Amino acid sequence: MINLKLIETNFDEFTKKLNAKKTNPQMLKNLLDLYNELKVKRQDLESLQSLQNSKSKELGIKAKNGEDISVLKEELAKNKIKVQDGENLIRDLELKLDEIASSIPNIIDDDVPFGEDENDNVELKKVLEPRKFDFEPKEHFELGEKLGWLDFERGAKLGGSRFTVLKGDGAKLNRALVNYMIDFNTSRGFELVNVPFLVRPEILYGTGQLPKFEDDLYKVRDEELYLIPTSEVPVTNLYNDEILDIEKLPIKMTCYSHCFRKEAGSAGRDTRGMIRQHQFEKVELVSITKQDESDAVLEEMISCASDLLTSLGLPHRHMMLCSGDLGFSAAKTIDLEVWLPGQNKYREISSISNTRDFQARRAKIRYKDGKKNILVNTLNGSSLAVGRTLIAIMENYQKSDGSIEIPQVLRKYM
């Protein structure tokens, strides 16, 4: 959740950054109006409470001196009702303010470029040169069906559109990638954790998926449980409502999971193949840090994911997302886009984000520094999306006869 104190300290900058993230202007106005109303009502309540205290002292003195206190008692009784009414009003206003604030996205970092959409993202660098083919490279779905690795027809029979069955060496390569990614990440100091794929609503609220993105989630009927859209959700919330020891920071974790998304709003996009699925696998990186360490940890996570792609021999580029393309919880995001020769373009394979204290405020994750409790910074990123890595290997390592060479680092996992 956004830091509402920014409304008072730097409202112009606050609104400028939120407008750059395409925040509804009316929602911002409602937030400001409600914040100001709440501020006035709190001052009114403080005055009533102060009056109640002073009148109570006066009543005590008069009673002790044997004076008539009937009028004063009546005044106190009426003022007490006003105090209670004021407290109830403030609770209602606070709930409304939280409701609006929970749907306001995180503000962007100062170095994030302003822009409308993915076309305004900024390329930072390229890593490895794409291979030059002496034949026309095929897309992964052509290769996969010919090899018997990918069965889209039976996937659709089981679950409908956007589901795929992996078979034979395709399934083995998928498993090899998962194991290799986990080993690579743990060698970089990220502890492996295994978490539930079903979580309670408040866990999704903590990382920002609820309430705004409920339409993208799969919910278990008759139970207050949701399938996770990414393991960022349960891994970050391992420390929900906890005060951490400063000596244990940063906490760096990696996690393999299945992810489940309705892909609401993606109709007509990537309908062929397995670029965009309702169920997919991912190996995630999550870090929980002190505020002054989060920039360095972000760079560490970017390097980990990029070096993983490099070790697989996959050309890719680093992209700084512009304000209009940033996710709801992110203050800053670097996408890694892998080269797909079958499509003749770069496609996203990892998004690595710093959410600053946005998720920590919602999830109440703090650390103790002396006597003060301070909100942590949380970071997350794919390392990597397993299905898209499989696709990238198929397209980049294809041969003219349609067979696929297995990258050297994966062969022992096969």
Side-chain angles (χ1 to χ4, degrees):
M1 188 178 294
I2 51 172
N3 183 356
L4 292 174
K5 289 181 181 178
L6 293 172
I7 295 176
E8 278 190 304
T9 58
N10 199 345
F11 181 72
D12 289 342
E13 186 72 9
F14 175 78
T15 52
K16 179 183 176 183
K17 289 183 174 181
L18 285 173
N19 286 331
K21 223 174 177 185
K22 300 180 179 178
T23 308
N24 185 326
Q26 186 60 48
M27 190 181 292
L28 281 178
K29 183 180 184 305
N30 292 343
L31 183 75
L32 177 61
D33 290 346
L34 195 55
Y35 182 83
N36 287 333
E37 182 182 358
L38 182 58
K39 188 176 177 182
V40 170
K41 296 303 179 185
R42 280 175 174 156
Q43 290 171 347
D44 290 345
L45 178 61
E46 286 173 6
S47 297
L48 289 170
Q49 289 170 331
S50 177
L51 179 63
Q52 191 77 3
N53 290 335
S54 63
K55 291 283 187 181
S56 294
K57 288 177 182 177
E58 184 183 346
L59 181 116
I61 294 170
K62 285 189 174 184
K64 189 175 181 180
N65 294 334
E67 298 178 46
D68 181 15
I69 58 172
S70 57
V71 174
L72 193 53
K73 282 182 73 174
E74 187 177 345
E75 289 176 1
L76 273 167
K78 289 179 179 178
N79 193 69
K80 184 177 181 181
I81 292 172
K82 289 181 180 179
V83 169
Q84 291 171 342
D85 289 344
E87 290 172 342
N88 291 335
L89 176 59
I90 284 172
R91 275 194 293 271
D92 290 342
L93 290 174
E94 285 175 340
L95 286 173
K96 289 178 182 176
L97 186 67
D98 283 346
E99 186 179 342
I100 295 175
S102 67
S103 295
I104 301 285
N106 198 0
I107 63 171
I108 61 175
D109 278 359
D110 290 337
D111 60 344
V112 171
F114 281 40
E116 285 296 311
D117 53 34
E118 61 186 18
N119 296 313
D120 295 321
N121 294 340
V122 177
E123 182 182 300
L124 301 177
K125 67 175 180 177
K126 284 190 172 81
V127 181
L128 301 180
E129 284 292 322
R131 169 188 166 193
K132 289 182 170 56
F133 290 84
D134 56 8
F135 59 92
E136 187 70 28
K138 293 181 172 62
E139 292 197 52
H140 72 280
F141 48 81
E142 299 176 85
L143 296 163
E145 287 183 316
K146 183 179 177 183
L147 291 167
W149 287 15
L150 307 178
D151 193 331
F152 302 109
E153 185 177 338
R154 288 186 173 86
K157 179 171 70 173
L158 295 174
S161 62
R162 300 192 188 276
F163 288 94
T164 305
V165 173
L166 294 175
K167 297 162 64 176
D169 285 339
K172 289 180 182 178
L173 179 57
N174 190 81
R175 185 180 66 174
L177 281 167
V178 171
N179 288 331
Y180 177 63
M181 290 175 187
I182 290 170
D183 287 350
F184 190 95
N185 293 342
T186 53
S187 74
R188 293 294 187 96
F190 292 86
E191 180 186 17
L192 178 63
V193 295
N194 196 348
V195 295
F197 294 175
L198 288 164
V199 295
R200 295 177 290 114
E202 54 266 40
I203 299 305
L204 286 151
Y205 176 85
T207 40
Q209 282 76 21
L210 286 179
K212 189 172 177 62
F213 300 104
E214 185 164 12
D215 288 346
D216 270 330
L217 302 172
Y218 287 101
K219 185 178 181 182
V220 179
R221 182 179 293 173
D222 300 327
E223 288 192 52
E224 284 297 303
L225 290 172
Y226 292 83
L227 286 165
I228 60 171
T230 164
S231 58
E232 165 205 342
V233 173
V235 176
T236 303
N237 279 285
L238 284 171
Y239 298 96
N240 185 294
D241 201 15
E242 290 190 28
I243 299 173
L244 305 173
D245 185 344
I246 192 173
E247 300 299 326
K248 292 183 178 179
L249 299 178
I251 298 171
K252 303 188 300 179
M253 298 167 284
T254 187
C255 180
Y256 160 74
S257 75
H258 284 264
C259 307
F260 306 88
R261 298 181 190 175
K262 289 183 179 179
E263 291 293 349
S266 65
R269 297 178 62 191
D270 300 308
T271 53
R272 295 197 68 184
M274 51 183 288
I275 286 280
R276 197 178 298 275
Q277 302 274 278
H278 289 309
Q279 175 185 322
F280 58 96
E281 294 166 80
K282 192 148 64 93
V283 176
E284 188 83 356
L285 298 175
V286 171
S287 295
I288 296 175
T289 78
K290 294 186 294 184
Q291 296 182 6
D292 59 359
E293 290 180 340
S294 64
D295 288 325
V297 171
L298 177 65
E299 291 304 317
E300 185 180 351
M301 292 169 67
I302 293 167
S303 294
C304 183
S306 181
D307 291 349
L308 176 53
L309 281 167
T310 302
S311 74
L312 291 166
L314 295 175
H316 59 282
R317 64 181 183 176
H318 295 214
M319 300 292 292
M320 168 86 82
L321 298 197
C322 72
S323 59
D325 200 30
L326 273 181
F328 179 78
S329 297
K332 178 179 180 178
T333 296
I334 304 298
D335 269 9
L336 302 183
E337 296 182 347
V338 70
W339 176 253
L340 296 182
Q343 294 190 20
N344 195 38
K345 65 169 65 171
Y346 288 96
R347 296 298 302 266
E348 178 203 333
I349 196 167
S350 173
S351 282
I352 303 162
S353 301
N354 191 342
T355 76
R356 300 296 177 184
D357 61 7
F358 184 83
Q359 292 179 333
R361 184 171 281 105
R362 298 168 75 103
K364 300 177 183 176
I365 309 173
R366 298 140 291 171
Y367 66 93
K368 186 170 286 294
D369 188 2
K371 294 182 179 180
K372 293 175 63 179
N373 292 333
I374 301 173
L375 291 168
V376 300
N377 279 192
T378 63
L379 304 93
N380 62 81
S382 312
S383 181
L384 302 159
V386 180
R388 293 195 178 192
T389 311
L390 176 68
I391 289 168
I393 287 172
M394 292 173 69
E395 294 197 11
N396 282 278
Y397 282 89
Q398 62 181 291
K399 297 182 177 180
S400 58
D401 62 359
S403 61
I404 312 292
E405 182 183 354
I406 303 300
Q408 187 67 42
V409 293
L410 295 177
R411 293 180 185 177
K412 67 179 181 178
Y413 295 93
M414 295 287 287

